[in-house]
Amino acid sequence: MSSGIRFDRVSVAYGGNTVLDSLDLTVEPGEVMALLGPSGSGKTTALRAVAGFVRPASGRVLIGDRDVTDLPPYRRGIGMVVQQYALFPHMRVEDNVAFGLKAQKVAKGEIRGRVAEALEMTGMAAYARRYPRELSGGQQQRVAIARALAIRPGVLLLDEPLSALDAQLRSGMLAELARLHRELPEVSILYVTHDQVEALTLADRIAVMDKARLQDVGTPQELYRAPRTEFTASFVGNANLLPVTVAADGVSFGGVELKVDTGGATRGASATLCVRPHLVGLGAGPNQVVGTVSEIQWRGATHRLYIDVDGHRVMADVRELREPPGHGESVTVYFAPEDAVLLAAGVTDG
Ligand code: ADP
């Protein structure tokens, strides 16, 4: 069953405090939408509104064509996985996975097949008779995913599903989730995370949240290459955000004219120029500026240089240098005109 999710101006308040403010967002059938944002920005609240665990103060939630705003959670056809696995400790793996099916009064004979299928899909078939305490964290999370999938949901809600796992397990599970998505191309997935790598890796589109509001939505590439706001630029990837003044054929930064596409911005206006640190090169080139090294970090494959240019900090991530410059040394850095994005004033506030 392919469903899709629609938030139609959904607001949620706790004790007069609006924690989700008029969210308008559509997750297409079969799409993975990441809700990305800092802690407290309203991501989980949005997800819980789809699940039916919080009641919007206003607005509607639709799954497919159905307005589910007033439906109890178990009638919404959703699967949900949260950070803390939330398995029933006294039940074996197979009974945990069967739980939702029993609640839905699926015939006994069918339950067995569906449990086996869900455990197969998550690579947990060999563990059906174990108890959760006999499993690692990663295995428990697989069981939680199997439990969510067993009901064959049209919509899968994942709330920071990897954050309780250590870094190595996390990247393995990320690949597993991508595989599951390929195997279930009709299931819409809403994926709450504060981790941009998870969002960039897994999502078809990312909805960037901050302060109870949707700030931006787009494909990972759009948000990374052409962010509209400072918040998006700095939350999706690293960013140099340089205060500039729009000039005739580019911008002026620290008294230097830089050639960039101003997109018709008004001459003389203040704006912010976004340049990704890995697109800043060391040496002379187009759009070069001179500054002094205030800090240098060796990161294995790269060096991160912090360069003070006329009182502004510019970061450059360059391939590991044989002879890195020292503190206080004067360096020239540059970037290609097409690698800079001008953020107009007025859309730069978070
Ligand atoms: P996120 O998932 O982005 O970290 P949440 O949606 O969990 O953010 O929370 C958004 C805001 O709502 C936070 O300020 C949080 O403290 C508040 N909040 C969440 N749940 C409740 C609740 N049950 N009662 C009161 N405030 C809540």
Side-chain angles (χ1 to χ4, degrees):
M1 182 178 71
S2 76
S3 292
I5 305 166
R6 198 169 124 220
F7 295 90
D8 177 17
R9 280 173 296 148
V10 175
S11 292
V12 175
Y14 289 114
N17 198 9
T18 300
V19 302
L20 192 64
D21 192 356
S22 301
L23 177 62
D24 256 324
L25 182 68
T26 301
V27 185
E28 301 295 342
E31 186 178 37
V32 181
M33 176 77 77
L35 286 181
L36 177 70
S39 178
S41 54
K43 309 181 296 293
T44 295
T45 301
L47 179 130
R48 289 172 64 83
V50 178
F53 299 133
V54 299
R55 180 90 179 75
S58 61
R60 299 183 307 157
V61 177
L62 289 93
I63 295 179
D65 300 328
R66 260 195 327 166
D67 182 341
V68 299
T69 318
D70 296 314
L71 283 186
Y74 64 90
R75 293 193 48 205
R76 295 186 178 204
I78 49 146
M80 185 161 171
V81 177
V82 298
Q83 180 182 341
Q84 315 80 359
Y85 326 133
L87 299 177
F88 303 109
H90 59 286
M91 284 187 196
R92 294 183 192 275
V93 163
E94 58 191 5
D95 296 321
N96 264 284
V97 176
F99 186 82
L101 298 170
K102 286 182 181 156
Q104 287 188 351
K105 310 227 182 314
V106 174
K108 248 195 179 143
E110 195 181 341
I111 289 182
R112 193 176 310 210
R114 292 243 221 136
V115 168
E117 177 191 81
L119 288 175
E120 194 64 51
M121 233 181 221
T122 52
M124 289 300 290
Y127 301 87
R129 303 286 298 159
R130 295 233 190 146
Y131 286 96
R133 64 172 180 276
E134 298 168 334
L135 302 175
S136 72
Q139 290 170 332
Q140 289 185 52
Q141 195 56 306
R142 282 165 191 268
V143 175
I145 294 167
R147 182 175 60 182
L149 293 177
I151 63 157
R152 297 196 179 142
V155 162
L156 189 59
L157 306 176
L158 303 174
D159 189 359
E160 303 267 6
L162 307 184
S163 38
L165 307 176
D166 63 49
Q168 208 172 353
L169 259 181
R170 211 177 303 153
S171 77
M173 280 296 280
L174 205 51
E176 286 278 305
L177 288 174
R179 179 185 59 76
L180 276 175
H181 175 49
R182 285 194 297 275
E183 284 179 18
L184 302 166
E186 72 288 1
V187 176
S188 303
I189 300 180
L190 190 61
Y191 188 103
V192 165
T193 182
H194 64 272
D195 183 315
Q196 51 161 292
V197 174
E198 287 177 20
L200 290 171
T201 308
L202 211 57
D204 297 310
R205 284 191 300 156
I206 300 175
V208 181
M209 305 276 302
D210 189 37
K211 303 193 181 88
R213 301 189 79 126
L214 179 66
Q215 302 292 333
D216 228 333
V217 59
T219 66
Q221 292 77 11
E222 282 165 356
L223 297 183
Y224 188 80
R225 299 208 179 111
R228 286 187 315 110
T229 67
E230 282 189 24
F231 183 80
T232 299
S234 55
F235 209 81
V236 181
N238 292 307
N240 287 300
L241 297 171
L242 311 175
V244 295
T245 308
V246 178
D249 193 21
V251 297
S252 151
F253 168 64
V256 180
E257 296 278 317
L258 303 172
K259 262 202 161 53
V260 299
D261 181 1
T262 59
T266 313
R267 201 170 159 178
S270 300
T272 300
L273 193 69
C274 169
V275 189
R276 300 295 181 183
H278 73 280
L279 297 174
V280 177
L282 193 55
N287 288 342
Q288 68 182 48
V289 292
V290 178
T292 51
V293 175
S294 61
E295 162 125 23
I296 181 160
Q297 296 168 345
W298 179 66
R299 299 182 169 193
T302 59
H303 271 102
R304 157 72 59 92
L305 302 171
Y306 293 89
I307 302 148
D308 182 273
V309 179
D310 196 36
H312 302 290
R313 195 183 73 172
V314 176
M315 297 178 287
D317 289 335
V318 298
R319 260 180 68 176
E320 187 194 12
L321 299 163
R322 292 280 161 217
E323 291 174 42
H327 282 257
E329 200 168 305
S330 174
V331 293
T332 302
V333 291
Y334 72 96
F335 61 87
E338 62 272 22
D339 288 337
V341 179
L342 191 68
L343 309 174
V347 293
T348 54
D349 56 337

